[in-house]
Amino acid sequence: MKSNIVAWLQEGNITIPTMLFSEYRNLNLNETELVLLLNIITFIEKGNEFPTPEELSARMTVSIADCHDMLRRLIQRGFIEIMDQYSNEGIRFEKYSVKPLWERLVDQFLLNSQVTRQLEQKTEET
Amino acid sequence: MKSNIVAWLQEGNITIPTMLFSEYRNLNLNETELVLLLNIITFIEKGNEFPTPEELSARMTVSIADCHDMLRRLIQRGFIEIMDQYSNEGIRFEKYSVKPLWERLVDQFLLNSQVTRQLEQKTEET
Amino acid sequence: MKSNIVAWLQEGNITIPTMLFSEYRNLNLNETELVLLLNIITFIEKGNEFPTPEELSARMTVSIADCHDMLRRLIQRGFIEIMDQYSNEGIRFEKYSVKPLWERLVDQFLLNSQVTRQLEQKTEET
Amino acid sequence: MKSNIVAWLQEGNITIPTMLFSEYRNLNLNETELVLLLNIITFIEKGNEFPTPEELSARMTVSIADCHDMLRRLIQRGFIEIMDQYSNEGIRFEKYSVKPLWERLVDQFLLNSQVTRQLEQKTEET
């Protein structure tokens, strides 16, 4: 009993900005793309920084070929990027970065704040 | 600049068990249903415990009618439930509970642990 | 077994910016004050927005009188503030806000970023 | 402005079971020990799995010698343990594990649940 709760606890959590859920649609992402991004974030947090289409497809209701296509389009549309890294031993490896996603989300957040402020000013003027 | 970061911080985060992302497919949920559940959890955390199909649809790429249908089916299939509550003033109101989802996820987790243990035993015996 | 994990899950988590742990000392907070603030945040997240010195002391190794003093000094020093609120029924109540803490933390973060940038410029010039 | 929010976001968060804040006193931990443990957890999450007393002291209001003593006593009292690990290149290194802390916390949680249940039974009998 105890060991099961400890095991559960060690599976861990993933923490996501609430805004991603209220704004993904405004970023022109659909639900499948959002879950693919959330899965990539989860893999990265667990130490696998370059999950393959096979690994992503295995936990999604999406075929390997479709995962591959979605990854390619998310890179082209500027939501994720592939970074070249070098290990301590000088071996080159690739990893995903979701920094572009956060930048898009912050852009959207700042746009929303600005619109809110403009609407408030208009209301005060009248 | 500063006020924007503070505003961002106050939007807050949502914390999700990692397992939900690796196991939703095994719970027979698809990506759209998963995101609907994540949106309900986000609304509840923000204090709106009974989001309407309209509110859910407004942030999803799913029509109001389809949100309504998905909610009905998620209740029928035992992932969410509607609870009756009474306010301090004795007024009855309804709210969603995602406790059934967590129960299903824990079932899946215990099943996985058991299978892992059985496989380890088999390996030791041979 | 299952019900225990579900009960554990429902106890929930609290999500804290990593920076608070690396910078509280630079904000002139000591460990006891930090834990008092973390306890206030935890109470607020659980729906008790104005925990008393008694409630805070009950889970700390600090007497009620000392909790009272620490709260007073944290307000004077601008880490927390007491807000007046009105319920739907027009009844006035008080609650704590930790927004001043986040503002201080963001100030510190921006200061750190600026110092880092200045050091990098100096390095490039030489 | 935007880059500052993205930088803030990338600093990340640490997620802690709410129970740790309500129960550390019952685990015979004081506030300084709790913050030391939280700092170790933060270092581990950031990829430094064996922070030194110097690194811990640098962000605390505790001297290096006192950090060293506290670490030693937390190991002796069974809250953290040092694990031997081997890298891919066969190099031995040490890291902290806070699994003992979670086990103690789960013990306390199960004890609380049991006491609550016994009190409920007593109330029903009378």
Side-chain angles (χ1 to χ4, degrees), chain D residues 2-125:
Chain D
K2 174 186 155 186
S3 64
N4 272 309
I5 305 185
V6 175
W8 172 272
L9 207 158
Q10 292 194 307
E11 283 293 322
N13 296 288
I14 165 172
T15 299
I16 305 291
T18 307
M19 283 250 327
L20 184 56
F21 292 103
S22 55
E23 298 298 335
Y24 71 87
R25 177 190 166 155
N26 292 332
L27 300 177
N28 293 316
L29 292 167
N30 65 32
E31 282 72 23
T32 314
E33 292 166 332
L34 174 62
V35 174
L36 186 74
L37 290 167
L38 292 171
N39 271 321
I40 292 173
I41 293 168
T42 308
F43 270 113
I44 291 174
E45 298 242 328
K46 285 273 187 179
N48 178 350
E49 298 190 299
F50 200 58
T52 63
E54 287 76 10
E55 287 170 317
L56 291 160
S57 169
R59 52 168 72 183
M60 296 182 72
T61 71
V62 176
S63 73
I64 297 174
D66 286 350
C67 271
H68 198 276
D69 274 3
M70 280 173 64
L71 286 167
R72 193 172 43 74
R73 268 177 292 124
L74 287 171
I75 294 167
Q76 284 170 350
R77 292 166 60 203
F79 287 103
I80 47 177
E81 57 188 2
I82 297 180
M83 318 271 287
D84 276 345
Q85 298 273 308
Y86 290 86
S87 74
N88 292 335
E89 292 75 40
I91 297 161
R92 185 178 151 279
F93 63 96
E94 289 176 315
K95 65 172 194 175
Y96 284 118
S97 165
V98 292
K99 195 178 164 188
L101 171 66
W102 302 135
E103 285 173 343
R104 301 282 284 268
L105 189 60
V106 169
D107 278 339
Q108 186 65 37
F109 167 73
L110 293 173
L111 187 66
N112 292 356
S113 308
Q114 200 188 328
V115 170
T116 306
R117 231 173 297 128
Q118 284 171 346
L119 285 174
E120 284 170 358
Q121 276 180 344
K122 262 217 177 107
T123 314
E124 281 165 20
E125 282 166 22

Side-chain angles (χ1 to χ4, degrees), chain C residues 14 16 37-45 98 101-102:
Chain C
I14 165 171
I16 304 291
L37 290 167
L38 292 170
N39 271 321
I40 292 172
I41 294 168
T42 308
F43 270 113
I44 291 174
E45 299 242 329
V98 292
L101 170 67
W102 303 136

Side-chain angles (χ1 to χ4, degrees), chain C residues 59-78:
Chain C
R59 50 167 74 180
M60 298 183 70
T61 72
V62 176
S63 72
I64 297 173
D66 286 349
C67 271
H68 197 275
D69 275 2
M70 281 173 63
L71 286 168
R72 195 172 41 75
R73 269 178 291 123
L74 287 171
I75 294 168
Q76 284 170 351
R77 292 164 62 202

